[in-house]
Amino acid sequence: MLLIILSWIYILITTIHLGYFFDKLSRLNNKNFIITSVLGLFSVTIITSIWAIFGRINIEFHFFLLFINFLIFFRNKSNILEIYKIFSTDFRNLTYSLKIYLIGIIIFIIAQCAAKPFVIDNESYYIQTIKWINEYGFIKGLANLHIFFGQTSGWHITQSVFNFSFLYADFNDLSGFCLMLGSIFAVFKLNSYFDNGLKINLIVGLLPISNVLLFQFISAPSPDLPVYVISFMMFFYFITHYNKPSVEKFNLLVILALFIVFIKPTTIAMILIPSLFLVSNFKILKSNLITSFILSVLVLALFLIKNTIITGYPLYPTQLFSGANFDFKVPKALISFYFDETKLYGFYSTKAEFNSMNQFQILIKWLTFNTINSIFNTLNVLLVFISSYFIYKYFNQKKYWLLYFVMVLQFGLLLFTSPQFRFFIQFLLFFSLLILVCFVNSKKSILISLYGSSIIVAFLVLVPINYSGLTSNKLITENSHFTILEIVFPHPNSKLSNHFYKHKIGNLEYNSPDKNSYFWTNGNGKLPCVNSQQINYFKANFHYMPQMRTPSLKDGFYSKKVSENE
């Protein structure tokens, strides 16, 4: 815990400094401390993405970042100190009950981050993706080694900076830092609701009630968590400024949307939020679009370059506009297999089962397959229908209907691609809270809800719980709980205790976890690391095997076609 606290202090200072400078360049005129930090995270992500095209994110990058940090601070010292003073004043203005709650929830967040990781994908590709960026930057054809590496997220690029790999091996908790920012943002808005009674402040202010769910994502750098938190900030500014638009708030919406999509491309529907804001207020905004245009082009360019280097496909995970025949391009057969498996996993079906069922049978299986998924899938379907009634009855304004439209579109896109409930949670939470505030709106009931949820959170953080009744997946049958051993040093960034063994195929020598490991597992093995089960499966079924392009790992990988008898 103590090491995490120290690292977060540095991260907060860095993001405030860079966020202030980015705000100044973009002329956002932002006064919110938390938004400044989010802008700083966005700035770090962009700078790191550019650097990673040419080299690793390691100690030399940190010298560069530290230099920028000091330069910004000493050239803008009085203005930056004013940001801290405003935050201090806002904190002191919180009611006593909210101060205690906020301090308590931050302590629980840090404790959860110090515990062992819970998210399965941390073991399949989060750790390894970040390692590759730390050691080499973006690697040509890396997805040929493990198809999941093609998903390299903007959030993993940011985490590669703030895991301080050259100092310590077990920082893996940027998502927890993001949830802390989201909790502070929400509690401050809740305090504003007590003063002005605006319902949007209450909806956003109740976000910490969902910590019972969100805490499961924060002990690993899951891209889902920042999407949920930043989406709530987007929803807030869209609702509060839709009828009183300004160029500054439009640009802020664009930046938040770009950040979300760069973190997780499956959230592409979020781009509609600033787009709808622009269309509705075009006369006011049309002459001041240059900032948003430049940032959009920059982020799109980085997205295309990153994907092209790692996979050979500029619009990965799609195969659109993939005309260039790079020698490191992932074979289409492997991409198709990955897409098919992702879709089948979303519907909990084998290929034979999926092809034998009609659309209604597929939907029923999706809603009833197992306890955890069926609960959330059913809630999502019900929410799409029920929330429209509550919007009509209590929030019958165009701005709420537009957000509802974006939710329905996102839901529809997921149904045809990868209908996993975690890709939809930001809407599930927002519209669930919108319904909740129709019934919970007095100060007493709000505080009871907050403190009640925090008691459940404390229980989940401190007490081991078995989830075997809710899921058959052995990797998530036990919760990730804090222990006394993690007061100073956090748990290692992998929860697996696999042994790794050297294997060789062609010119590739790699590390593989033991035979009992999950098919996609890499864990925290030394680079290059990939499960030998995958290598053998793709060789036997698709006749491809990953090979090094040159004797040096930094030059990347390609997939070599082999005969059936090799």
Side-chain angles (χ1 to χ4, degrees):
M1 279 185 70
L2 292 179
L3 287 185
I4 290 176
I5 292 171
L6 290 175
S7 70
W8 283 12
I9 290 171
Y10 173 77
I11 295 171
L12 185 63
I13 292 171
T14 300
T15 55
I16 290 297
H17 293 177
L18 269 71
Y20 165 79
F21 186 68
F22 182 78
D23 177 271
K24 190 176 179 180
L25 284 178
S26 306
R27 299 178 181 178
L28 297 178
N29 198 28
N30 165 63
K31 302 297 182 184
N32 187 287
F33 182 85
I34 299 303
I35 293 298
T36 302
S37 184
V38 172
L39 293 174
L41 287 170
F42 178 72
S43 304
V44 170
T45 305
I46 296 303
I47 295 169
T48 309
S49 298
I50 295 171
W51 187 291
I53 294 170
F54 306 101
R56 65 180 190 167
I57 306 303
N58 213 290
I59 189 168
E60 58 273 21
F61 178 83
H62 282 271
F63 280 128
F64 169 73
L65 190 63
L66 197 61
F67 172 75
I68 293 177
N69 221 330
F70 279 115
L71 185 64
I72 291 172
F73 178 75
F74 286 113
R75 290 178 66 94
N76 304 274
K77 185 176 179 180
S78 60
N79 291 332
I80 291 175
L81 289 177
E82 186 63 26
I83 294 173
Y84 290 107
K85 289 177 183 177
I86 292 172
F87 174 76
S88 178
T89 300
D90 290 341
F91 181 79
R92 289 197 302 270
N93 288 337
L94 290 177
T95 64
Y96 179 76
S97 54
L98 287 182
K99 282 180 187 174
I100 297 300
Y101 173 78
L102 183 57
I103 292 170
I105 207 65
I106 290 174
I107 291 172
F108 287 137
I109 289 173
I110 297 170
Q112 183 66 56
C113 287
K116 66 181 178 181
F118 181 75
V119 181
I120 297 175
D121 285 340
N122 186 61
E123 311 300 338
S124 61
Y125 75 101
Y126 293 178
I127 298 171
Q128 291 292 317
T129 296
I130 294 164
K131 268 190 171 186
W132 281 106
I133 298 172
N134 283 146
E135 294 301 320
Y136 299 102
F138 297 150
I139 292 291
K140 291 179 180 178
L142 183 61
N144 288 292
L145 183 65
H146 190 308
I147 195 68
F148 284 17
F149 293 159
Q151 301 179 67
T152 298
S153 164
W155 197 242
H156 296 142
I157 296 170
T158 318
Q159 178 69 82
S160 74
V161 178
F162 294 126
N163 67 345
F164 310 104
S165 61
F166 63 98
L167 288 176
Y168 185 67
D170 295 328
F171 287 133
N172 200 40
D173 41 65
L174 191 62
S175 289
F177 177 81
C178 186
L179 184 59
M180 180 185 72
L181 295 181
S183 298
I184 296 171
F185 185 85
V187 169
F188 280 18
K189 295 307 172 189
L190 190 57
N191 197 60
S192 297
Y193 169 76
F194 292 155
D195 292 333
N196 58 33
L198 290 178
K199 286 295 180 67
I200 185 60
N201 284 331
L202 179 55
I203 295 172
V204 173
L206 289 177
L207 174 62
I209 289 178
S210 63
N211 282 338
V212 173
L213 170 66
L214 300 184
F215 263 53
Q216 302 306 312
F217 294 92
I218 64 175
S219 53
S222 168
D224 296 309
L225 195 285
V227 166
Y228 307 153
V229 170
I230 299 171
S231 292
F232 260 71
M233 296 174 184
M234 274 191 73
F235 298 155
F236 173 81
Y237 285 104
F238 179 82
I239 294 295
T240 54
H241 292 276
Y242 182 80
N243 294 325
K244 45 181 181 180
S246 67
V247 173
E248 293 82 5
K249 290 302 180 284
F250 169 68
N251 287 336
L252 177 60
L253 286 173
V254 170
I255 290 165
L256 296 178
L258 290 173
F259 198 11
I260 289 171
V261 174
F262 195 61
I263 289 171
K264 202 167 186 70
T266 54
T267 61
I268 187 65
M270 298 296 286
I271 292 292
L272 280 175
I273 294 177
S275 301
L276 292 170
F277 191 90
L278 174 61
V279 170
S280 300
N281 303 284
F282 187 71
K283 290 182 179 179
I284 298 172
L285 304 174
K286 64 180 180 179
S287 61
N288 292 282
L289 301 177
I290 187 65
T291 298
S292 293
F293 177 76
I294 291 172
L295 287 171
S296 299
V297 170
L298 175 60
V299 172
L300 177 60
L302 289 173
F303 180 76
L304 298 177
I305 292 169
K306 168 182 72 73
N307 288 344
T308 301
I309 292 173
I310 296 173
T311 70
Y313 298 86
L315 288 175
Y316 186 88
T318 76
Q319 298 179 39
L320 297 174
F321 307 111
S322 56
N325 290 316
F326 302 108
D327 68 306
F328 55 84
K329 192 174 183 179
V330 179
K332 290 186 177 181
L334 303 187
I335 298 263
S336 298
F337 169 78
Y338 168 66
F339 271 115
D340 289 344
E341 286 297 304
T342 300
K343 186 173 183 178
L344 293 172
Y345 175 78
F347 286 107
Y348 322 118
S349 302
T350 64
K351 191 170 184 177
E353 288 174 334
F354 188 85
N355 292 333
S356 67
M357 295 185 292
N358 59 39
Q359 295 297 318
F360 180 74
Q361 290 171 322
I362 292 171
L363 179 63
I364 294 299
K365 184 167 186 179
W366 180 67
L367 291 172
T368 59
F369 178 71
N370 65 43
T371 307
I372 290 179
N373 290 285
S374 64
I375 288 172
F376 281 100
N377 292 339
T378 303
L379 284 174
N380 287 337
V381 173
L382 291 175
L383 183 71
V384 170
F385 293 100
I386 294 173
S387 57
S388 61
Y389 167 79
F390 284 90
I391 294 173
Y392 177 76
K393 187 171 178 62
Y394 298 101
F395 299 89
N396 197 10
Q397 300 174 58
K398 185 178 179 181
K399 53 191 177 183
Y400 286 99
W401 284 112
L402 288 174
L403 280 185
Y404 176 79
F405 165 73
V406 176
M407 174 183 71
V408 172
L409 181 62
Q410 177 74 19
F411 186 69
L413 288 173
L414 291 178
L415 277 179
F416 287 101
T417 54
S418 180
Q420 299 177 44
F421 71 84
R422 62 192 175 93
F423 295 167
F424 192 73
I425 285 180
Q426 69 270 34
F427 290 107
L428 173 65
L429 294 179
F430 182 81
F431 284 97
S432 296
L433 293 175
L434 180 145
I435 294 170
L436 181 64
V437 302
C438 298
F439 307 99
V440 177
N441 45 46
S442 68
K443 188 173 182 178
K444 182 179 179 180
S445 61
I446 290 168
L447 293 175
I448 289 173
S449 299
L450 283 177
Y451 276 90
S453 67
S454 67
I455 291 172
I456 299 173
V457 165
F459 185 79
L460 293 173
V461 171
L462 300 174
V463 179
I465 300 172
N466 191 294
Y467 295 146
S468 58
L470 296 175
T471 179
S472 58
N473 192 321
K474 294 181 180 179
L475 294 176
I476 55 173
T477 52
E478 292 183 358
N479 68 321
S480 171
H481 66 281
F482 177 76
T483 69
I484 196 72
L485 298 175
E486 292 142 5
I487 286 181
V488 177
F489 300 97
H491 189 281
N493 60 8
S494 173
K495 66 179 177 181
L496 302 180
S497 56
N498 289 338
H499 296 289
F500 292 87
Y501 302 93
K502 288 282 187 183
H503 293 260
K504 188 169 184 178
I505 182 169
N507 70 358
L508 174 65
E509 187 175 89
Y510 64 97
N511 298 289
S512 174
D514 56 51
K515 294 181 180 180
N516 295 324
S517 60
Y518 171 56
F519 181 83
W520 298 111
T521 298
N522 286 325
N524 197 17
K526 292 182 180 180
L527 302 182
C529 183
V530 61
N531 198 318
S532 60
Q533 295 179 58
Q534 290 178 54
I535 301 290
N536 296 333
Y537 180 85
F538 287 123
K539 183 181 177 184
N541 292 278
F542 297 98
H543 313 301
Y544 284 105
M545 65 180 188
Q547 294 288 276
M548 294 172 62
R549 296 177 67 236
T550 75
S552 176
L553 285 176
K554 69 179 181 180
D555 292 324
F557 306 88
Y558 73 100
S559 287
K560 180 181 179 181
K561 185 72 173 177
V562 297
S563 66
E564 294 187 23
N565 297 323
E566 283 189 66

